[in-house]
Amino acid sequence: MRHNKKVPHLGRTKSHREAMLSNMATSLIMHKRIFTTVAKAKALRVYVEPIITKSKTDSTHSRRMAFALLRNKYAVKELFGDISQKVADRPGGYTRIIKTGYRLGDAAAMCFIELVDYNAHMAKEGADASKPAAKRTRRSRAKKAEAPVAEKQETSTEE
């Protein structure tokens, strides 16, 4: 029976999985968005969100705990400097997974995983959603056909 064995193994040993998640978390923190498989992204979300929560309290202990998981001092500096300020008022849900389709080689489900507060495109859409949309006009062939007729009438009136 598999009671209480909910760890996604991802086809790797424990040491390989921990190293991979640490490297992926570092890449996510440094680049704000990475492209990976859906299974790895879901495992990464569980791994990185508690680290981001710990970064909200800037203490020596929380920095050491983050460094123990990330193993990269530049990522820890980025996490406690810039990211912790952006997510200070957010009560969780720091990452977003956007599915992009399937990989050609092995048909693995692929996705982007990104930090929510850093996607300018999604923030721009959110700002546009709050404002009333501009009225869009549609062009048709009938209007294009009418335009030359109007020009002919203008030329005849000028003469």
Side-chain angles (χ1 to χ4, degrees):
M1 289 186 225
R2 295 193 73 246
H3 295 306
N4 294 328
K5 297 186 182 199
K6 297 179 180 177
V7 176
H9 295 292
L10 302 173
R12 289 163 173 79
T13 61
K14 180 174 170 51
S15 59
H16 186 184
R17 189 170 54 249
E18 286 177 352
M20 182 193 67
L21 288 173
S22 175
N23 289 334
M24 289 176 68
T26 299
S27 295
L28 180 64
I29 289 168
M30 297 301 284
H31 301 292
K32 313 301 187 267
R33 170 191 259 194
I34 58 174
F35 187 67
T36 183
T37 62
V38 174
K40 287 180 189 174
K42 288 180 179 180
L44 179 61
R45 177 174 26 187
V46 172
Y47 186 84
V48 79
E49 290 211 359
I51 299 171
I52 296 172
T53 302
K54 286 177 185 134
S55 74
K56 288 182 176 183
T57 57
D58 190 6
S59 65
T60 305
H61 179 67
S62 59
R63 280 182 180 264
R64 286 178 178 167
M65 301 237 345
F67 183 77
L69 294 171
L70 295 176
R71 303 181 193 120
N72 186 328
K73 65 181 181 181
Y74 302 110
V76 171
K77 184 178 179 182
E78 178 75 18
L79 176 67
F80 280 86
D82 190 31
I83 295 173
S84 64
Q85 292 173 358
K86 279 216 174 196
V87 300
D89 57 340
R90 183 178 290 275
Y94 311 112
T95 57
R96 175 188 297 126
I97 294 175
I98 302 170
K99 295 178 182 177
T100 58
Y102 298 94
R103 189 162 50 197
L104 287 177
D106 59 354
M110 300 299 287
C111 68
F112 284 114
I113 181 168
E114 63 186 5
L115 295 176
V116 172
D117 294 322
Y118 283 91
N119 190 346
H121 180 68
M122 293 295 259
K124 186 178 176 184
E125 285 180 2
D128 290 345
S130 63
K131 296 178 184 176
K135 187 175 179 181
R136 298 178 74 185
T137 59
R138 293 185 57 166
R139 297 182 182 176
S140 64
R141 287 229 178 246
K143 290 182 181 178
K144 288 181 181 177
E146 292 174 9
V149 174
E151 289 176 8
K152 289 179 182 175
Q153 290 175 354
E154 289 177 10
T155 55
S156 63
T157 55
E158 290 176 3
E159 294 175 0

